[in-house]
Amino acid sequence: MMGWLSKIFKGSSHKVSQGHCYDENVEHPVWNDPSTSEDAWTQCENEDIDHAIALSLLEEEQNGKRVFDHESQLKEDEQLARALQESLNTASPPRCEYGNGNMSQPVTIPFPAGYRICAGCHMEIGYGRFLSCMGAIWHPECFRCHACNLPISGYEFSMSGGYPYHRSCYKEQYHPKCGVCQQFIPTNAAGLIEYRAHPFWDQKYCPVHELDGTPRCCSCERMEPRDTGYVSLDDGRKLCLECLDSAIMDTNQCQPLYIDIQEFYESLNMRVEQQVPLLLVERQALNEAMEGEKHGHHHMPETRGLCLSEEQTITTVLRRPGIEAGNWTMNLITEPYKLTRRCEVTAILLLYGLPRLLTGSILAHEMMHAWLRLQGFRMLNPQIEEGICQVLAYMWLESELKSSLGGSEASTSSSASRASKRSTRSPFEIKLGKFFKNQIESDISPVYGDGFRAANQAVLKYGLKRTLDHIRMTGGLPY
């Protein structure tokens, strides 16, 4: 507008300079030449003025840009030169790491005053040091770590979720730590973080711990952390402190659980008529008894339960050991137990030192072996027999977890005191029960795993009673 106003007050040279508008990042000032003629306006001059006005209005309407006169241009050049000089004296800004090892360095750019608005405090930056990164401009003290809220003054930083982090803070929050040695899991030769993880528990650990003899809990299978020792049982097994909390350690302590399992079978109209002895034993005694048994199929690294039908002498755990300051203070007290064959089942043996829910699921499994033999079922295919026994173990675990969570259909004939005891289970014990269910569901062995899935599908489709009747008549599962 100043171009044609100048002509009105100073006259015309029959030519008007056209203004240039700056784009989004660069300003292009307009230079207007003054007129030296004092003559009156002619018709041609009027046409020039009208044409200049039209051009100026059109430029402003289309681009919305400001046009600067000669003095404004000089002043702006001085400002840009001063900002450029200051930016050259600014220390190197940080580089950004986007979590994959790639670095990008933010640049320091001179902007005209009024355009540098800090993305942190939303105030004008003015002249001085500033950072250009993450698509914004920052005061150095406003560019802060999302974790510790301290300024990022280093040469590099990391990004996650759109937020900047000190590299050390990013590593502390997002780099996985080993659940065994508590150190950051190192990268492999390719620069990638390589670790092992339990498929159920949220425990990540360095691959080397699978080879360095780090023990696992014999119940939950978690690896022993260096800062939390596991309890060593007399037969060489290790038990974590959480599993130890509900562990059943001797034969007498297991009797209430045995009664619960018998009541569970009665609720299914599958009462075990014969009173079968139940004994808790060490691992060596269980393995010896298994060798003396004429038949049996065991796919696990160690046997945890056994339904005997032969006469043997078994060494049973009579009294549990004591614990003081995390160590066993007395040895197990055992005694020999002579098994006499009065029926098809002489005893049920269980490994001592396992949590109640695991002990109960093993007992429910072995009780099904006893029930099948006492009911006169002929020798079954191992996949059929072990599969249906696993179904009963799974059903018992489900009933226990439902009662713990307040399920109304779970208690059946259990007494009020036992139901009350179930409802007080810790969150870990409930999760442990889900882990034992998951072990049964995800077992990859042909006999126990495939056998369970086939038998469970039949029970879900036809019911337990019809499935058992079909097994009795045909020796196989209904399909």
Side-chain angles (χ1 to χ4, degrees):
M1 295 296 289
M2 293 301 296
W4 64 268
L5 286 175
S6 174
K7 273 191 169 291
I8 293 176
F9 291 103
K10 295 183 179 180
S12 174
S13 63
H14 300 283
K15 183 168 74 173
V16 177
S17 299
Q18 181 176 346
H20 298 274
C21 297
Y22 64 90
D23 62 17
E24 192 170 338
N25 295 314
V26 182
E27 292 188 7
H28 300 281
V30 175
W31 291 79
N32 298 95
D33 296 328
S35 173
T36 58
S37 175
E38 299 292 337
D39 298 336
W41 292 346
T42 64
Q43 179 66 28
C44 181
E45 289 173 330
N46 290 335
E47 290 176 358
D48 286 344
I49 293 171
D50 292 341
H51 182 63
I53 293 173
L55 286 175
S56 299
L57 292 175
L58 180 61
E59 291 283 344
E60 290 177 347
E61 180 178 355
Q62 289 181 347
N63 301 310
K65 306 298 184 178
R66 295 176 299 168
V67 180
F68 294 91
D69 58 16
H70 184 64
E71 291 185 8
S72 299
Q73 174 61 31
L74 292 176
K75 183 177 180 180
E76 191 62 40
D77 287 345
E78 293 176 358
Q79 293 174 344
L80 289 173
R82 189 181 300 111
L84 180 59
Q85 184 62 37
E86 291 173 352
S87 68
L88 292 175
N89 297 329
T90 302
S92 297
R95 294 190 301 169
C96 174
E97 178 183 6
Y98 288 92
N100 56 4
N102 296 326
M103 294 287 184
S104 64
Q105 181 175 351
V107 295
T108 305
I109 303 175
F111 280 85
Y115 279 79
R116 296 182 299 185
I117 302 299
C118 176
C121 65
H122 306 292
M123 301 294 289
E124 183 178 349
I125 294 178
Y127 299 106
R129 298 180 61 199
F130 64 92
L131 302 176
S132 176
C133 51
M134 297 173 57
I137 307 298
W138 310 75
H139 290 111
E141 65 272 13
C142 293
F143 190 61
R144 294 175 175 264
C145 174
H146 187 63
C148 67
N149 200 36
L150 295 176
I152 299 176
S153 57
Y155 189 63
E156 297 174 351
F157 67 98
S158 299
M159 286 279 296
S160 179
Y163 296 105
Y165 291 84
H166 291 111
R167 297 198 68 188
S168 58
C169 293
Y170 178 88
K171 185 174 184 179
E172 189 67 33
Q173 288 211 358
Y174 296 106
H175 192 113
K177 280 189 175 182
C178 175
V180 175
C181 63
Q182 310 303 321
Q183 302 297 315
F184 290 114
I185 296 177
T187 55
N188 58 17
L192 302 176
I193 300 173
E194 181 182 356
Y195 60 85
R196 302 289 184 267
H198 194 282
F200 184 86
W201 304 102
D202 187 24
Q203 185 190 43
K204 302 178 179 67
Y205 53 89
C206 305
V208 67
H209 297 313
E210 290 188 336
L211 307 173
D212 63 4
T214 299
R216 292 180 181 270
C217 175
C218 64
S219 167
C220 66
E221 298 183 351
R222 293 180 298 172
M223 281 198 162
E224 179 183 34
R226 296 285 189 265
D227 58 353
T228 306
Y230 285 179
V231 172
S232 297
L233 302 181
D234 286 52
D235 54 11
R237 290 174 294 139
K238 290 272 192 170
L239 194 65
C240 73
L241 300 182
E242 290 87 353
C243 290
L244 176 66
D245 187 56
S246 62
I248 297 180
M249 305 301 295
D250 59 46
T251 299
N252 291 333
Q253 188 187 7
C254 194
Q255 296 308 311
L257 177 61
Y258 191 19
I259 295 173
D260 283 347
I261 302 295
Q262 290 174 329
E263 291 178 349
F264 170 74
Y265 269 79
E266 289 177 7
S267 71
L268 300 174
N269 294 318
M270 296 171 59
R271 179 183 175 87
V272 179
E273 301 295 340
Q274 179 70 32
Q275 185 63 35
V276 180
L278 170 66
L279 304 174
L280 260 65
V281 298
E282 295 180 273
R283 180 169 55 183
Q284 181 179 354
L286 192 61
N287 291 336
E288 291 173 353
M290 184 179 63
E291 292 175 1
E293 192 70 7
K294 292 180 179 179
H295 55 83
H297 303 272
H298 307 279
H299 77 285
M300 301 182 65
E302 65 176 2
T303 303
R304 292 175 170 178
L306 194 62
C307 180
L308 296 180
S309 58
E310 303 294 330
E311 292 190 353
Q312 299 186 42
T313 300
I314 304 298
T315 301
T316 180
V317 177
L318 182 63
R319 192 173 73 182
R320 65 188 301 180
I323 303 176
E324 182 177 332
N327 298 314
W328 297 110
T329 58
M330 65 177 71
N331 294 324
L332 288 175
I333 297 179
T334 61
E335 68 174 5
Y337 189 98
K338 175 66 175 178
L339 299 179
T340 304
R341 183 182 176 93
R342 296 188 178 91
C343 60
E344 289 297 319
V345 180
T346 57
I348 292 176
L349 306 184
L350 301 179
L351 192 62
Y352 90 99
L354 300 177
R356 181 184 182 276
L357 289 177
L358 179 55
T359 303
S361 66
I362 297 170
L363 179 53
H365 177 105
E366 300 303 331
M367 280 276 286
M368 188 60 187
H369 282 300
W371 186 87
L372 291 172
R373 295 178 191 178
L374 292 174
Q375 291 295 317
F377 280 68
R378 61 185 179 182
M379 292 295 296
L380 299 173
N381 180 289
Q383 189 177 59
I384 301 297
E385 183 170 349
E386 298 296 345
I388 196 66
C389 290
Q390 284 291 75
V391 168
L392 267 293
Y394 189 85
M395 290 174 62
W396 181 80
L397 279 172
E398 278 192 321
S399 69
E400 290 293 294
L401 291 177
K402 286 179 180 178
S403 67
S404 298
L405 298 174
S408 59
E409 66 268 22
S411 329
T412 62
S413 60
S414 298
S415 65
S417 61
R418 282 192 292 272
S420 175
K421 184 176 181 180
R422 293 192 193 109
S423 64
T424 59
R425 288 204 183 98
S426 67
F428 175 80
E429 190 175 3
I430 294 174
K431 188 172 183 179
L432 192 61
K434 294 178 181 178
F435 167 66
F436 297 143
K437 281 183 58 181
N438 178 262
Q439 279 190 310
I440 296 175
E441 295 167 347
S442 59
D443 195 326
I444 62 174
S445 70
V447 173
Y448 288 81
D450 294 344
F452 162 76
R453 285 180 283 274
N456 193 51
Q457 184 178 2
V459 170
L460 292 175
K461 186 175 182 179
Y462 300 105
L464 181 60
K465 184 178 185 305
R466 289 181 61 187
T467 299
L468 290 173
D469 289 342
H470 192 277
I471 292 175
R472 183 194 295 273
M473 290 185 296
T474 67
L477 296 170
Y479 294 101

